């Protein structure tokens, strides 16, 4: 079955530590996205990538970093510079730039930093 | 600036029809998407309107009026499983890259 996997489902970290969230897709999609969702809120775009070895900042990129070395993988690192990292993180993909209106989402990672 | 407005909560009874409105203010516009998200789950794509008019997919329909910067999602024959949050999302034509701007979401509660 094709889809997007994110691991782990729940992640706990101490303040001051960097943490990397995994996102893998086997849909053969070119574009991938990272969103952050806070309770009762919409999705806010952190970073996105339309092609391997290229990515752009979204609306809330400060304190985050990404890489796109392989088409299938788009890991997100939450650095210690992120002021309020506790949130639900969602990874998504779309066929390509022109299909951004239809995104497929992974199950998400709920990150808690204390 | 860019903004999307949708009601925060809507309540309806099983078997009824409900309409969730979305108004947007963006510098450019490619189309309006709708997503459903059950509590704690992943958003799933429901529909897309690139042109004015009504798009129907089973019990769900979506409408767009570009001249009014307005769209809505219509859910018919409501079922308990339709209780979820619904998000409208716009692709802003101004941007070079392909990305969506999401509204804050409407929480739909379906009562027996």
């Amino acid at each position: 079955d094709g889809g997007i996997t994110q691991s782990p489902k729940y992640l706990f970290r101490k303040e001051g530590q960097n943490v990397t969230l995994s996102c893998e897709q086997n849909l053969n999609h070119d574009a991938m996205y990272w969103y952050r969702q806070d309770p009762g809120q919409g999705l806010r775009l952190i970073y996105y990538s339309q092609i391997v070895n290229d990515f752009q900042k979204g609306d809330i990129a400060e304190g985050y970093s990404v890489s796109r070395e392989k088409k299938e993988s788009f890991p997100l690192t939450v650095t210690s510079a992120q002021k309020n990292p506790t949130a639900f993180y969602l990874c998504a993909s779309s066929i390509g730039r022109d299909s951004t209106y239809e995104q497929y989402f992974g199950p998400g990672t709920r990150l808690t930093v204390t | 600036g860019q903004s999307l407005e949708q009601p925060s909560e809507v309540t309806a009874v099983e078997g009824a029809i409900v309409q969730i409105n979305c108004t947007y203010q963006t510098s450019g516009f490619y189309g309006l998407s709708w997503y459903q998200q059950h509590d704690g789950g992943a958003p799933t794509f429901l529909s897309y309107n690139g042109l004015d008019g009504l798009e129907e997919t089973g019990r769900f329909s979506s409408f767009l009026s570009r001249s009014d910067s307005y769209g809505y999602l219509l859910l018919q024959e409501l079922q308990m499983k339709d209780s979820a949050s619904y998000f409208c999302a716009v692709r802003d034509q101004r941007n070079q890259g392909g990305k969506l701007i999401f509204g804050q979401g409407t929480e739909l509660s379906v009562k027996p």
Side-chain angles (χ1 to χ4, degrees):
Chain A
D1 274 343
I4 300 179
T5 56
Q6 292 185 244
S7 60
K9 190 172 177 66
Y10 297 94
L11 191 53
F12 299 88
R13 281 292 184 272
K14 294 289 188 186
E15 197 172 314
Q17 294 178 335
N18 291 356
V19 58
T20 297
L21 281 57
S22 165
C23 177
E24 303 279 331
Q25 55 100 357
N26 61 2
L27 299 167
N28 200 32
H29 285 176
D30 284 325
M32 297 187 74
Y33 313 81
W34 272 106
Y35 294 91
R36 170 188 172 130
Q37 187 175 34
D38 294 286
Q41 300 295 310
L43 283 68
R44 291 186 291 167
L45 184 65
I46 304 172
Y47 269 97
Y48 62 107
S49 167
Q50 294 167 349
I51 198 166
V52 175
N53 292 321
D54 187 46
F55 49 82
Q56 289 79 39
K57 291 182 179 180
D59 300 317
I60 55 165
E62 185 175 348
Y64 300 97
S65 66
V66 293
S67 63
R68 186 86 188 277
E69 297 175 1
K70 298 188 299 181
K71 187 175 185 177
E72 304 78 23
S73 179
F74 191 40
L76 173 75
T77 297
V78 184
T79 75
S80 57
Q82 168 50 232
K83 296 279 188 271
N84 187 17
T86 294
F88 187 42
Y89 290 88
L90 287 156
C91 178
S93 70
S94 66
I95 293 173
R97 167 179 171 168
D98 292 337
S99 302
T100 190
Y101 60 88
E102 183 174 357
Q103 295 184 14
Y104 296 78
F105 284 82
T109 292
R110 201 166 295 275
L111 173 66
T112 302
V113 177
T114 57
Chain B
Q2 312 176 110
S3 68
L4 285 82
E5 297 287 335
Q6 50 181 132
S8 58
E9 296 178 349
V10 172
T11 301
V13 296
E14 213 172 358
I17 299 173
V18 72
Q19 178 174 311
I20 298 173
N21 298 321
C22 175
T23 57
Y24 58 87
Q25 190 171 9
T26 56
S27 55
F29 182 81
Y30 263 171
L32 189 69
S33 296
W34 288 91
Y35 287 79
Q36 177 192 61
Q37 184 182 31
H38 285 98
D39 195 29
T44 57
F45 172 78
L46 291 176
S47 69
Y48 174 71
N49 293 75
L51 301 172
D52 284 1
L54 192 68
E55 293 284 339
E56 297 179 78
T57 309
R59 293 188 297 115
F60 294 1
S61 303
S62 58
F63 173 82
L64 175 65
S65 169
R66 286 171 174 257
S67 59
D68 296 321
S69 298
Y70 163 76
Y72 66 72
L73 180 70
L74 191 73
L75 295 82
Q76 302 181 71
E77 301 173 18
L78 280 174
Q79 302 175 9
M80 298 296 289
K81 67 177 182 180
D82 296 330
S83 292
S85 292
Y86 293 84
F87 296 89
C88 59
V90 164
R91 181 182 176 186
D92 186 339
Q93 185 176 7
R94 178 187 63 182
N95 296 309
Q96 291 292 321
K99 61 178 187 176
L100 287 178
I101 304 158
F102 282 83
Q104 297 282 67
T106 297
E107 185 173 352
L108 171 63
S109 297
V110 180
K111 307 292 186 188

